[in-house]
Each structure stands twice: as structure tokens, then as C-alpha cells.
Amino acid sequence: MPAAPNKQTQLAHLQTVLKKKTPAPADPPERPVLEEVVYAILRDGATPEQADAAFARLKDKDVFFDWNEIRVSSVQEVADAVHGLPGAGDKGERVIKFLQEVFEEIYGFDLGDVAKKGVKQAAKQLARYKSGVNEFVVAWVTQRALGGHAVPLDHPTTRVLQRVAVLEAEIDDIEAARGTLEHFIPKAAGPEFTDRAAVFAATVCTEDHPKCDGCPMLPHCPYGQALTAKPKKEKEAKPKKK
């Protein structure tokens, strides 16, 4: 039985491939904490391009005047505004529920004080907004708005990392899985890795029809090698001599 691939080596191969197969991401914009949470909800399972377009529509004054109008809108209205996202209806509902929880707590939409509490305390406070915030969102905001070291893992990115044997096929503890990545990926490289991995998952290492044959990761990818392996022909039985 062949030895399991070394995770650090596999991740290094993947990072090289990501730079070859995906465009360089733009520098992450600075957003207030609340806006970063909303963006992260949209970005969960989507590409940066999809999330950027959806977020821009939510911020368009001709669509919604402010966050409070979004809070009191129907799920369908918000889903229509973020069309093009995977699971637009679910994303719309999560955004509305998150804004509702924030409004009920502070009667407004300014979470600026959260960032002043330190990374760990801020992350714990964000995790309390259970209706719209999940582990991916907390890690995303930690990485992008709180100055902490985190590598957000949504389903597409996790799928890629499992296929190339950086993460185990079955993940019981998502925080431990993230810890593995954060040990190998420097803090400054986290945003670029997150964005490139999302694009790679959407364009090459797709859910149902991955483009393994033309993928430069194939020589290092157990999943791709198994998928593209040609079945061995059974040897024809030689006729017995009479």
C-alpha cells in the first residue's frame, strides 16, 4: 500500500498550480466589520467575482436604501438582488437574519466596537450571531477585518484540499483542519490562497466534472489519478493444450 502523501508537500504543489491556473486576485478592500460579515455570507461557496457582484447590488442605493431596508425585505427580494450566487435564496435568508440579530442587539448596524475587543473575543462575539454566521464567516472576518490569521474553508475549497490529500477525506473538526492549513500558509498569504482556491474549485476542480486531464496538479493528485486511470485489461485465458 503506497504511503500517504505528505500534506505540506501537497499544499506546496497546489499553491504552485493555483498561481498557474488562476488570475492574481485584487487586493482585499477594507470594509467595516458588519459589511465584511455580509460579504462573507455571500462569498461562502462562491467565487470572488460572484460575491463582488452580489455585494455591489446590495450596496446599490437604487436597489436597497440601507441595511435596514434589507433587514425588512423579503427573502425573495434579497435573493433576487444576489442572483447568480450558488444558493441565492439561502444567502438572502442568512443576510436578513444576521441583520435582524444585530438590530435586536444594538438597534443599529455598526459593529465597529467588535474589532476593538481583540481577535479571539471578536471572533467569539461574531459566532453568537447564529442565524447567518457560520465557521467560514468567522474565519473570513478574522482574516479580512480583524487582523488575525485564519484560512476560511467553504465547501468548494474543502473539496479541493481533500482531493489533493491536504485534508482528510472525512473531517470531524473543521477548526483542526483549518489549523493544519494555518500552520503551513503564512498569514500574509492567506487572502490570496483563499481567493485562488475558490476560482480553481469553480473552473478546474469542479464538483461533478473536474478537468483532471488538463490539470497541472494531476501528477500529485490522488483523486485525479484515480479518476483518469485507464482500467487494466484482463488477460485472455490461453487455451489449454490438448
Side-chain angles (χ1 to χ4, degrees):
M1 185 174 180
N6 178 276
K7 293 181 179 180
Q8 186 173 5
T9 302
Q10 289 295 95
L11 184 59
H13 288 313
L14 177 61
Q15 287 176 296
T16 299
V17 169
L18 292 181
K19 289 185 178 181
K20 289 181 179 178
K21 297 292 287 185
T22 62
D27 292 334
E30 291 186 10
R31 299 186 183 95
V33 173
L34 181 129
E35 292 193 8
E36 201 66 71
V37 172
V38 173
Y39 182 87
I41 292 172
L42 304 179
R43 176 66 170 72
D44 187 0
T47 65
E49 183 179 9
Q50 290 170 326
D52 288 348
F55 187 75
R57 288 192 292 272
L58 288 186
K59 291 279 290 177
D60 187 342
K61 296 293 185 183
D62 292 331
V63 180
F64 296 109
F65 181 72
D66 56 15
W67 295 118
N68 192 58
E69 184 178 353
I70 295 175
R71 176 183 71 89
V72 299
S73 295
S74 70
V75 171
Q76 188 60 56
E77 287 172 325
V78 180
D80 289 343
V82 299
H83 65 85
L85 285 180
D90 175 64
K91 301 288 178 64
E93 184 175 15
R94 287 172 62 188
V95 168
I96 290 171
K97 287 184 174 180
F98 165 67
L99 294 174
Q100 181 64 31
E101 281 192 273
V102 172
F103 184 78
E104 289 176 358
E105 182 180 44
I106 64 174
Y107 301 103
F109 301 101
D110 185 355
L111 292 180
D113 287 343
V114 171
K116 300 175 184 177
K117 297 177 182 285
V119 175
K120 289 186 178 179
Q121 281 300 112
K124 285 181 180 179
Q125 182 166 337
L126 290 176
R128 295 205 309 263
Y129 298 117
K130 304 233 178 246
S131 296
V133 173
N134 59 12
E135 198 278 340
F136 172 86
V137 172
V138 174
W140 179 277
V141 178
T142 297
Q143 182 194 77
R144 303 288 173 127
L146 301 179
H149 184 26
V151 178
L153 287 175
D154 59 3
H155 175 69
T157 298
T158 301
R159 179 182 73 238
V160 172
L161 292 169
Q162 288 175 319
R163 286 177 174 178
V164 301
V166 172
L167 297 180
E168 303 297 331
E170 298 293 333
I171 298 176
D172 297 322
D173 186 343
I174 193 68
E175 288 192 22
R178 276 186 37 231
T180 297
L181 292 177
E182 290 159 12
H183 179 70
F184 297 134
I185 299 175
K187 176 181 174 181
E192 179 180 350
F193 174 82
T194 302
D195 285 344
R196 285 187 184 273
V199 175
F200 184 74
T203 58
V204 179
C205 196
T206 55
E207 181 81 52
D208 297 322
H209 303 289
K211 301 173 183 176
C212 298
D213 285 326
C215 178
M217 190 65 192
L218 183 59
H220 315 288
C221 178
Y223 178 88
Q225 290 170 6
L227 200 66
T228 57
K230 295 180 180 178
K232 293 181 180 179
K233 293 182 180 179
E234 293 185 8
K235 293 182 178 178
E236 293 182 7
K238 293 182 178 179
K240 293 182 179 179
K241 293 182 178 179
K242 293 181 180 180

